Amino acid sequence: SCMSKDENSYGLSGLTAERARALLRADAAGAEVRGLAAIDTLAVALAVGGGAGIAVWISTLITNPLKSLMKDIQEVSGGNLDHETIPRSSDEIGTLAGTFNKMTGALKVAHEQEIQQKKMEHQLAIAREIGDRQGEGSDLGNLGNAYDSLGRYAEAIAVEEERIRTASTPMEERMPSHSHHPISYTMSSG
C-alpha cells in the first residue's frame, strides 16, 4: 500500500496529516463560533425579555396608582364629597392624590356653604312673608356672611346695605298692625 502511516491513522485517504490537522482546527473553530453565537443569542433573548419585564413593572407602578385615583375621582364626581383617596407614594402621583383630597375638601366646604346660603335665603323669605322685621334683619346679616364666605362680595355688600336699611326702619313701622296681631303695642313718650 502506498499510504503512509500518518494518512492511515486518520482514516482519511488522500489527505495529508497537515491537511487533516487544519480541518480539525477549522472544525474546532467552527464549534467555538457556534457556541459563541448561541451565547450571543441567549444574551440578546435575556436582554429583550428582561427589558420587557422591566417595562411591564414600571408601567404597573404608574398605571395602578392612576387607576386607583380614577376610581376615587369617579366616586367624588358621583357626589360623595366625604370620599378621600389614599396617596400610595411620595412621587408626582402621590402629590396629585393629596391635592385631589384638598380639592375635594374645599368642594365639600363650598357645597355646605351654598346649602347654608339657600337655607338663609329661605328663612329670609319667611321672615319677610310674616312681617318679622327683626328676624329679617338677622337673616339678612346671616345671608351677607354666607355670601362673604363664598367670595360673592358684591352680593354680601348689597345684603348688608339692605340689613342696615331694615335696622334703621322706625320702630312703629316694624310693629305689626293691630289687624294682624292680637296684642296692642303702645309707645310711651319720655
Side-chain angles (χ1 to χ4, degrees), residues 92-110:
E92 292 83 358
I93 296 172
T95 301
L96 180 62
T99 303
F100 177 74
N101 284 339
K102 289 178 186 175
M103 181 196 69
T104 302
L107 190 59
K108 180 180 178 181
V109 167

Side-chain angles (χ1 to χ4, degrees), residues 11 18 29 46 55 67 85 137 142-143 151 165:
E18 197 172 305
L46 287 174
K67 285 178 184 177
T85 188
N142 291 335
L143 184 58
R165 281 193 304 276

Side-chain angles (χ1 to χ4, degrees), residues 176-178 180-185:
S177 68
H178 296 294
H180 289 61
H181 202 283
I183 300 175
S184 172
Y185 294 96

Side-chain angles (χ1 to χ4, degrees), residues 32-56:
E32 189 175 328
V33 168
R34 285 189 298 277
L36 290 175
I39 290 172
D40 286 348
T41 302
L42 180 62
V44 168
L46 287 174
V48 169
I54 290 171
V56 168

Side-chain angles (χ1 to χ4, degrees), residues 106-184:
L107 190 59
K108 180 180 178 181
V109 167
H111 181 67
E112 290 170 351
Q113 288 174 337
E114 189 173 351
I115 289 171
Q116 280 298 108
Q117 172 216 328
K118 297 288 184 196
K119 186 176 170 183
M120 289 175 201
E121 288 172 349
H122 181 70
Q123 289 173 341
L124 176 60
I126 291 171
R128 285 179 173 162
E129 187 176 316
I130 64 172
D132 180 5
R133 301 290 284 177
Q134 184 176 2
E136 182 180 351
S138 176
D139 291 339
L140 283 167
N142 291 335
L143 184 58
N145 290 337
Y147 283 144
D148 183 60
S149 69
L150 290 170
R152 295 166 58 180
Y153 304 116
E155 291 168 288
I157 291 169
V159 168
E160 181 61 21
E161 289 171 347
E162 186 176 350
R163 187 190 70 77
I164 291 169
R165 281 193 304 276
T166 301
S168 63
T169 303
M171 184 66 136
E172 298 82 29
E173 291 180 30
R174 289 193 290 198
M175 295 292 170
S177 68
H178 296 294
S179 63
H180 289 61
H181 202 283
I183 300 175
S184 172

